[in-house]
């Protein structure tokens, strides 16, 4: 699935690549909370983070933003688990409805606030990334 990134997002990707030597597949931003989430290939996860997190720290320092790295997966269920990590999900049900997929997530009530995120940021990035990478129409909680 193709999607377009703004010049600013392309700049973030270029900077991430220069500092970590890993080319991300995607980046989403929460401007309100100064957060960026980069999606990297499975084989690049360790290299992107760096020894003791040094590469991510370099990116954080350079951009003055909180930076998260998510491991891409061709499997929509695993990709959702990766985006939500480290939150423990009880279950994920992926449904195909015509040419679109949806997912229903079950999470322990004590983790629901973290799963949704401040002002809905976490669920927003989950929805954006799952739509862009797996053509998923919606992600909701059971």
């Amino acid at each position: 699935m193709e999607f377009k990134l703004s010049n600013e997002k392309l700049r973030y990707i270029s900077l991430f690549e220069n500092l970590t030597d890993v080319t991300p597949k995607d980046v989403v931003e929460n401007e309100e909370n100064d957060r960026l989430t980069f999606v990297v290939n499975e084989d690049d996860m360790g290299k992107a983070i760096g020894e003791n997190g040094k590469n991510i720290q370099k990116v954080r320092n350079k951009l003055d933003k909180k930076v998260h790295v998510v491991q891409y997966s061709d499997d929509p269920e695993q990709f959702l688990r990766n985006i939500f990590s480290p939150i423990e999900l009880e279950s994920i049900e992926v449904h195909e409805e015509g040419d679109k997929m949806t997912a229903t997530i079950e999470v322990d009530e004590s983790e629901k606030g973290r799963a949704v995120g401040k002002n809905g940021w976490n669920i927003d990035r989950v929805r954006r990334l799952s739509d862009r990478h797996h053509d998923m129409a919606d992600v909701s909680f059971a």
Side-chain angles (χ1 to χ4, degrees):
M1 174 172 211
E2 280 192 38
F3 53 90
K4 292 191 182 231
L5 295 172
S6 69
N7 286 337
E8 185 177 26
K9 303 290 187 310
L10 292 172
R11 187 177 68 80
Y12 290 147
I13 285 176
S14 178
L15 181 83
F16 187 93
E17 183 176 21
N18 288 338
L19 294 174
T20 67
D21 207 25
V22 170
T23 303
K25 294 176 73 63
D26 196 3
V27 62
V28 292
E29 180 177 21
N30 177 325
E31 293 174 10
E32 182 179 318
N33 296 317
D34 286 331
R35 292 177 187 257
L36 292 169
T37 299
F38 291 92
V39 178
V40 301
N41 286 322
E42 184 176 353
D43 296 342
D44 293 331
M45 192 67 170
K47 189 175 183 182
I49 293 169
E51 189 175 331
N52 297 319
K54 74 174 183 172
N55 288 344
I56 292 304
Q57 194 58 48
K58 284 193 287 189
V59 176
R60 285 179 180 144
N61 292 341
K62 187 77 171 173
L63 293 172
D64 194 30
K65 294 181 182 282
K66 295 175 184 158
V67 175
H68 303 268
V69 180
V70 171
Q71 181 176 306
Y72 176 77
S73 176
D74 285 329
D75 174 31
E77 183 178 328
Q78 185 59 53
F79 187 54
L80 288 168
R81 287 188 188 283
N82 294 348
I83 299 170
F84 275 107
S85 181
I87 298 165
E88 189 68 34
L89 305 178
E90 291 182 359
S91 68
I92 298 176
E93 289 184 30
V94 175
H95 313 277
E96 292 197 34
E97 298 172 4
D99 61 346
K100 288 277 190 178
M101 283 190 290
T102 61
T104 305
I105 311 258
E106 209 172 315
V107 63
D108 188 88
E109 199 61 41
S110 66
E111 290 278 52
K112 206 164 215 169
R114 284 182 60 206
V116 171
K118 184 177 182 180
N119 297 324
W121 158 242
N122 207 31
I123 192 65
D124 178 59
R125 79 183 176 130
V126 166
R127 287 178 176 147
R128 285 197 275 169
L129 289 171
S130 61
D131 179 41
R132 284 164 35 166
H133 294 279
H134 289 288
D135 202 24
M136 200 167 284
D138 191 29
V139 177
S140 59
F141 293 107

